[in-house]
């Protein structure tokens, strides 16, 4: 696999599988969201990785839409007591935020690697 560059879909699948963005074999994480220092299979240094707040923002937008929509539907249809809302939505909030977080962070890292994205840097425009 080394040598020929992967397609966006291949990179995305490596991301969702939480694997190294370059070789797709080594593990990306050492802990729940803690990255390993480098790939155990191909030796890629993970220091370039900068996913920032991206994964959390995507998760908040998606989970917020799901939970709020569910809560509104249940409230309009059944008007349950507030304690029942808490019992219903707290686990749903945990499930819709914590479960996809690893894969979302890894996906954004894989796409960052695929597109060679990095902080902006000045271009040398002097004539040679
Ligand atoms: Zn690797």
């Amino acid at each position: 696999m080394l040598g020929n560059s992967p397609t966006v879909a291949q990179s995305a699948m490596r991301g969702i599988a939480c694997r190294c963005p370059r070789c797709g074999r080594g593990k990306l994480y050492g802990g729940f969201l803690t990255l390993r220092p480098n790939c155990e299979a191909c030796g890629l240094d993970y220091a370039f990785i900068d996913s920032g707040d991206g994964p959390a923002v995507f998760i908040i937008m998606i989970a917020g839409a799901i939970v709020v929509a569910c809560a509104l539907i249940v409230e309009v249809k059944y008007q349950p007591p507030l304690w029942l809302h808490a019992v219903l939505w707290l686990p749903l909030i945990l499930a819709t935020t914590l479960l996809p977080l690893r894969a979302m962070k890894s996906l954004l890292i894989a796409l960052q690697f695929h597109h060679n994205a990095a902080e902006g840097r000045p271009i040398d425009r002097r004539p040679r």
Side-chain angles (χ1 to χ4, degrees), residues 39-58:
C39 174
E40 67 208 342
C42 73
L44 175 66
D45 187 0
Y46 290 158
F48 73 93
I49 289 172
D50 180 19
S51 62
D53 295 335
V57 170
F58 276 108

Side-chain angles (χ1 to χ4, degrees), residues 18 28-36 49 51-52 55-56 59 97-106 109:
C18 302
L28 191 60
Y29 294 111
F32 180 63
L33 287 175
T34 312
L35 299 173
R36 302 170 60 90
I49 289 172
S51 62
I59 296 291
T97 52
L98 295 181
L99 292 180
L101 196 49
R102 268 169 72 95
M104 180 62 84
K105 179 174 177 175
S106 180
I109 289 168

Side-chain angles (χ1 to χ4, degrees), residues 2 11 18 20 25 27 36 41 48-49 63 75 80 103 115 122:
L2 284 176
S11 288
C18 302
C20 167
R25 295 193 313 268
K27 288 183 185 142
R36 302 170 60 90
F48 73 93
I49 289 172
E75 175 61 28
H115 295 289

Side-chain angles (χ1 to χ4, degrees), residues 39-123:
C39 174
E40 67 208 342
C42 73
L44 175 66
D45 187 0
Y46 290 158
F48 73 93
I49 289 172
D50 180 19
S51 62
D53 295 335
V57 170
F58 276 108
I59 296 291
I60 287 168
M61 298 291 184
I62 296 165
I66 292 170
V67 173
V68 169
C70 289
L72 282 175
I73 290 167
V74 167
E75 175 61 28
V76 168
K77 281 192 82 149
Y78 306 108
Q79 285 118 26
L82 284 178
W83 66 263
L84 189 59
H85 274 296
V87 168
L88 286 174
W89 311 129
L90 285 178
L92 184 64
I93 290 168
L94 291 177
T96 53
T97 52
L98 295 181
L99 292 180
L101 196 49
R102 268 169 72 95
M104 180 62 84
K105 179 174 177 175
S106 180
L107 172 64
L108 293 191
I109 289 168
L111 292 178
Q112 178 198 354
F113 181 79
H114 182 87
H115 295 289
N116 202 14
E119 239 175 81
R121 48 195 171 269
I123 302 169

